[in-house]
Amino acid sequence: MCEADACQCELAALPDDAALREKIQLEKAVPDNWDAYDTVFIGYPIWWGIAAWPVDVFVEANDFSGKKVVTFATAYSSPLGNSGKLLSEMAGDKGQWQDGTCFTGSLSNDKVRAWVKALK
């Protein structure tokens, strides 16, 4: 039994319960003008060592062929881990997936700008 309130208990169960995940849908899984994008940044929180499950829905709904994909995450202290690799596999290894970074702790605009400038 979860000791937290009911909402937190349901959130904690989401990664393992498809029925609960179906209750919460993305408003739009495929962005307008998707074909016009050459580079796609996918940002997400790290949940239990992987990308938050709503990102899975986005990745499964889109064709990344011909696109450069850069992943990045936010977490209090968790690393990026294999989350980018798992998303690439979920996308059928379509596109050129580049490992990004996991921003932990406090974050500044300067830190993000420096990271983006360092990308190839």
Side-chain angles (χ1 to χ4, degrees):
M1 182 74 181
C2 186
E3 294 180 17
D5 66 35
C7 180
Q8 288 177 331
C9 287
E10 187 170 318
L11 179 62
L14 281 173
D16 296 323
D17 190 334
L20 289 175
R21 288 194 307 266
E22 289 174 10
K23 289 182 183 180
I24 303 171
Q25 305 263 330
L26 294 180
E27 286 187 25
K28 189 173 201 173
V30 179
D32 292 335
N33 302 315
W34 176 249
D35 292 334
Y37 293 96
D38 295 325
T39 302
V40 178
F41 287 81
I42 301 178
Y44 48 87
I46 295 289
W47 287 359
W48 296 275
I50 59 173
W53 64 264
V55 177
D56 298 352
V57 175
F58 174 79
V59 169
E60 290 172 344
N62 290 284
D63 182 358
F64 292 90
S65 297
K67 298 186 185 306
K68 177 180 175 182
V69 184
V70 182
T71 59
F72 67 96
T74 58
Y76 180 72
S77 62
S78 299
L80 189 63
N82 289 328
S83 61
K85 180 179 185 299
L86 294 172
L87 292 173
S88 173
E89 290 171 359
M90 191 174 297
D93 291 320
K94 294 178 180 175
Q96 296 173 317
W97 289 70
Q98 180 176 338
D99 284 337
T101 192
C102 186
F103 296 105
T104 58
S106 62
L107 184 60
S108 69
N109 289 338
D110 289 339
K111 186 174 182 179
V112 174
R113 283 188 191 103
W115 171 69
V116 170
K117 285 181 181 179
L119 293 172
K120 297 178 182 193

